[in-house]
Amino acid sequence: MASLACPRCLRRSLQDLETTATAIRPQRAAFSTSPSLSANPPKKKAVVAKPSTRQGSALRLTKNTRATNTRPPAVGERKELRKKVVLSNTNALEVLGLNDLSKENLSSDALHALEAKVMGFGDTSVDRLRALKAFKPTQGWNLFRRPASLVRKETTHLLGDIEWVEAGQGSRTVRKVLYGERGSGKSVLQLQALAMASLKGWFVIHIPEAMDLTIAHTSYQPVTTPGGPTRYAQAHFACKLLRNIRDANNHLLSNLRISGEHDIPGQLKPGASLLGLVDVGVKEPARAWPVWQILWEELTLPSAQSKGGPRPPIMFTMDGIDHIMRLSAYLNAEAQPIHAHDLLLPRHFIELLSGRETLPNGGMVLGAVSESNRAASHTLDHALARNEAIQNELTPPAWDPWVKYDKNVQDAMEGVGVQRLQGLSKEEARGIMEYYARSGLIRKAVTSGLISEAWTLAGGGIIGEIEKGTVKARV
Amino acid sequence: MAAPLKRICCQAARQVSIYRSSSTTRQFAESRQCQHTTSRTFTSTSTAALPRRRGEPQNNRRQDEEAFSEKEHEEVLEDEPDIDGLINESEISSTGYAELEQHRELREMVRLAAWEMPLLSSLSREYEQPDPARHPLRWRYTTYFGEAHPASRKVVVEYKVSDLAHQGLEEKHLDKLRKLVGARYNPETDVVKMSCESFETQAQNKRFLGDTIEKLIAEAKDPNADSFEDIPLDTRHHKFKPNYKFPEEWKLTQERRAELEAQRRALLLEEGQRVEENRIVSGMAAIEAERQLRLKQVEEPIMAEARQPLPRGKQGRKEMGQTAGAQRL
């Protein structure tokens, strides 16, 4: 593997850049009795900032000097606060009779009966979803006593897909992209899919923001494939992802054993559990990408061949897929932008989504387009419109011969299923608004007049807008 | 205009009367006029001759204007030709002549309008739409009414491509023509618009356009040339305007009204049923129910004890955690 020196800024190594990602980086063995031979590294001189003579442009009289005895926010502290996910509000009323999504009601028929009702997530589900970073701070989880979501028509359809995959005994894969207006519930539907798959015992992988992979905020290094073009691995991101996966699928990973022969880095016995393997990647970002490859190889072993236990189906989801459908912000050695599909991790998702790589044990690849922070990708837009028309057996809009399309994206989206999320039905709107009222967030009586009003003002039942208009709005 | 004209007419009338009554000859007048024009071209009634004429013209006031209108030019009179430099107030000024001329012209026009113009309608013919098959080209010129203007030489021609089918072009030729004209083609109306202002005169520009169209047609027809069949028509220059129409199903017909009414009635009935069965969820009710539930809950004994006021002396012990209740924790 290439060295970790960043080609963009040669002064600093990546280890310094992303210290948070490295979990443990022992300089020497912690309990060694022998003294270290090497001399201590020379101490760096502390950089003393020169007190500048100018104190800003404002007029400073003796009276208006501000006493600042608070410390300035530490690096990343404000971002952490901004990204904090709060899943409970003790001031909200506990909703009586709020059932959880569980294995019992996880069949199409049972869920169909529960349509337009709000279902909670059990504790294990919440822990797993939390580990996957599937909850987002903007989704209003902090308003209610505990996380719950509306069962809508599309949820039942997704469960139908999951059941269809399971019925195929591993030969079936569902590849889908969710899109729709802003606030129409794409990310939450993805979250529901993850929760349902997790309850069904699937292996769940979720990339909460595809943007993080392409905006050049995380390290990358070239990986030369034999006889192929240069691709780029993102070690630190892979490391973070492995940690999320480990936390969310702990129960599965500890039961599955390594069955194949791998050039495993580190001291890992051949029959060790997959958890041990993932741990290697979590500890060392440098090994994260090889570990990811080995893990994937292990997971996609056909269950009949694997000695380490039957492999579960895989649910692989990614939010904000529009960001990996264009050029990324990374530069190659010639200072040309790298296409997002040349980054190995997004590429892996794309290969699965487009069906070029198969899931021998079955599974589901689910991407969602983000509308709040939309990356411009006209090829994706056109591909979505085309695929939807093909799905509905209409004449698909032709590719304009005079517009430059992204060939990679065109190929990737070929034959991918799309699902457009629209507004809720009135019945579903009633379900969610009654839940708001039961939580004490709407004080009025939920009459059909109120529902119609909220539904109409929300652009035909866009659920995010209903929430904004009824619960979040403060007059 | 009326007032000065009237004044001049009156003046002319007076002159006529003078001419008829006096015995002045034409030569007189002419010589006077020559003299006069050299000395004073623009004279008007002067005050010098006024006292002499004051008495006489009163009788001739009612002279007909038209009686003298033909003769004024010759009939300019001069009473005192030998008095050089003196102004004859009975003569009409040149401005006056001009005004009279104008007036005459106006009358001529009015006469035309009254007598000749009604006859024009007998020449009217019904409008016939030009046959696009025979005249596919629509030319446009600009005139600035004789004024020199840089845009006056510009010539614009428009033609519908499908009209050229009558000129012996097949569909594939027309397709090639559409590709050849490039951004001049409007794909929504199938019209090509070409213009030229490169040359000095309108005729040259028109000639150029005509030649160009001929060349285009020849090129489109040419069997040996590239047919451009593999190249799609480029319409990037044109912005297609969506033509929104009021949806048919949104129209409020009688049936639709009845349908909506039925839907609303059903909803109302359902709502009423909900109210009867007490199934309406209200936030206030939920909050009240929760409050009642909390009130009913038995308070934990330690909390109740903490709520009890202690005698002053023991307050400090309680705070220090030395009371019996505190130790139980």
Side-chain angles (χ1 to χ4, degrees), chain A residues 132 134 158 176 178 187 189-195 197 203-210 241 296 314-321 349 352-353 364-368:
Chain A
L132 288 171
L158 264 183
K176 245 187 192 180
L178 305 174
S187 299
L189 189 62
Q190 221 176 23
L191 180 137
Q192 285 176 333
L194 285 169
F203 194 87
V204 285
I205 304 168
H206 180 56
I207 298 178
E209 281 289 351
L241 184 64
W296 199 263
I314 299 173
M315 166 74 80
F316 193 178
T317 58
M318 184 189 266
D319 204 352
I321 199 181
F349 182 80
L352 290 165
L353 184 72
M364 192 163 175
V365 186
L366 194 64

Side-chain angles (χ1 to χ4, degrees), chain B residues 115-171:
Chain B
W115 297 103
E116 309 277 318
M117 276 164 80
L119 302 176
L120 280 178
S121 66
S122 64
L123 298 172
S124 74
R125 272 189 298 170
E126 214 163 275
Y127 173 70
E128 272 175 42
Q129 191 127 23
D131 182 16
R134 287 184 56 223
H135 306 285
L137 305 183
R138 294 193 287 275
W139 298 92
R140 196 189 79 196
Y141 317 97
T142 317
T143 173
Y144 289 85
F145 297 104
E147 240 176 73
H149 193 282
S152 63
R153 66 176 80 122
K154 180 172 178 172
V155 181
V156 183
V157 64
E158 282 185 35
Y159 55 93
K160 199 168 181 171
V161 177
S162 55
D163 287 345
L164 295 183
H166 304 288
Q167 314 296 317
L169 273 84
E170 291 168 27
E171 195 48 48

Side-chain angles (χ1 to χ4, degrees), chain A residues 80-110:
Chain A
E80 203 178 314
L81 207 65
R82 197 171 70 233
K83 300 277 178 193
K84 198 169 72 175
V85 178
V86 179
L87 292 182
S88 165
N89 173 15
T90 44
N91 289 324
L93 304 183
E94 180 128 29
V95 178
L96 298 173
L98 176 67
N99 294 323
D100 285 348
L101 269 182
S102 60
K103 279 182 187 168
E104 286 77 56
N105 54 27
L106 219 54
S107 69
S108 278
D109 300 329

Side-chain angles (χ1 to χ4, degrees), chain B residues 11-60:
Chain B
Q11 207 176 349
R14 263 178 264 135
Q15 279 173 359
V16 171
S17 64
I18 290 163
Y19 168 68
R20 281 179 184 163
S21 56
S22 70
S23 57
T24 359
T25 57
R26 187 170 289 184
Q27 294 93 346
F28 234 57
E30 274 168 0
S31 66
R32 170 68 192 104
Q33 207 168 22
C34 292
Q35 277 179 2
H36 194 76
T37 40
T38 47
S39 60
R40 301 186 56 153
T41 324
F42 303 106
T43 49
S44 66
T45 35
S46 79
T47 43
L50 257 174
R52 194 193 59 82
R53 286 197 54 223
R54 189 152 283 172
E56 42 176 319
Q58 259 78 25
N59 351 336
N60 307 317

Side-chain angles (χ1 to χ4, degrees), chain A residues 90 92-94 96 145 400-403 427 430 434 437-440 442-449 452, chain B residues 231-236 267-268 270-271 274-275 279-288 290-291 293-294:
Chain A
T90 44
L93 304 183
E94 180 128 29
L96 298 173
R145 183 56 84 94
D400 189 340
W402 297 99
V403 173
E427 217 26 62
R430 174 180 287 280
E434 285 187 350
R438 288 212 175 94
S439 298
I442 299 181
R443 302 221 161 176
K444 289 181 211 161
V446 182
T447 56
S448 57
S452 284
Chain B
I231 292 177
L233 183 67
D234 186 3
T235 57
R236 281 173 293 172
L267 273 179
L268 253 171
E270 205 183 313
E271 188 77 3
R274 248 194 214 106
V275 173
R279 280 198 289 132
I280 292 275
V281 180
S282 150
M284 281 308 264
I287 293 168
E288 186 58 32
E290 180 78 9
R291 213 171 64 83
L293 210 68
R294 278 193 198 170

Side-chain angles (χ1 to χ4, degrees), chain B residues 206-272:
Chain B
K206 186 175 178 182
R207 181 73 264 151
F208 177 80
L209 283 176
D211 289 350
T212 311
I213 290 169
E214 260 172 28
K215 271 188 233 162
L216 276 171
I217 290 174
E219 183 66 31
K221 273 182 176 173
D222 190 359
N224 301 322
D226 190 349
S227 65
F228 293 126
E229 271 167 351
D230 52 337
I231 292 177
L233 183 67
D234 186 3
T235 57
R236 281 173 293 172
H237 57 273
H238 185 77
K239 194 177 178 188
F240 287 90
K241 251 192 198 170
N243 186 11
Y244 298 112
K245 277 182 186 150
F246 195 79
E248 202 57 39
E249 61 270 21
W250 287 11
K251 282 180 184 165
L252 264 188
T253 55
Q254 285 301 325
E255 298 88 63
R256 181 73 184 138
R257 256 179 237 276
E259 195 184 331
L260 282 174
E261 193 55 41
Q263 274 179 18
R264 280 176 198 146
R265 196 159 290 183
L267 273 179
L268 253 171
L269 274 175
E270 205 183 313
E271 188 77 3

